Amino acid sequence: MNRGDRAILVGMIALLRRQWPDAEITALSGHADRDAAWFGIRFLPQSPYSMNPWHWLRLAREARRSDLVLWGGG
C-alpha cells in the first residue's frame, strides 16, 4: 500500500523489460493477485516482511532458479 514502493517497482520493471524483454519477473506481495494484475508480473503470495521460515525457503528456491536476484525497495 506504499506508493513509493510501487513507483520503484514500476521503474525496476521498465528497466528490466528494456534490457531483457522476455524476462520472467517475480516479486513479493501480500496481495499477489491484485498486484499481478496491476504490474503484469508474477508475485509470490507473501509479505516481504514475513518471518515465516517456509516463506524464506520458498524465496530461496525461487532465487536459486533465477538468473538475477534484486533485493531492495523504497
Side-chain angles (χ1 to χ4, degrees), residues 15-28:
L15 288 171
L16 290 168
R17 290 276 181 238
R18 191 174 315 145
Q19 184 68 30
W20 300 286
D22 298 324
E24 178 184 328
I25 301 171
T26 304
L28 304 178

Side-chain angles (χ1 to χ4, degrees), residues 3 9 15 20 23 28-30 49 55 62 67 71:
R3 290 182 182 170
L9 184 55
L15 288 171
W20 300 286
L28 304 178
S29 175
Y49 307 109
H55 288 172
E62 287 289 323
D67 294 323
W71 190 280

Side-chain angles (χ1 to χ4, degrees), residues 3-63:
R3 290 182 182 170
D5 285 347
R6 288 190 307 226
I8 290 168
L9 184 55
V10 166
M12 288 178 65
I13 292 168
L15 288 171
L16 290 168
R17 290 276 181 238
R18 191 174 315 145
Q19 184 68 30
W20 300 286
D22 298 324
E24 178 184 328
I25 301 171
T26 304
L28 304 178
S29 175
H31 306 282
D33 293 333
R34 177 202 69 189
D35 290 347
W38 282 2
F39 296 101
I41 66 171
R42 180 173 167 255
F43 282 86
L44 293 179
Q46 71 186 58
S47 167
Y49 307 109
S50 174
M51 297 303 290
N52 182 325
W54 295 113
H55 288 172
W56 284 96
L57 288 172
R58 180 172 50 190
L59 184 58
R61 186 174 57 242
E62 287 289 323

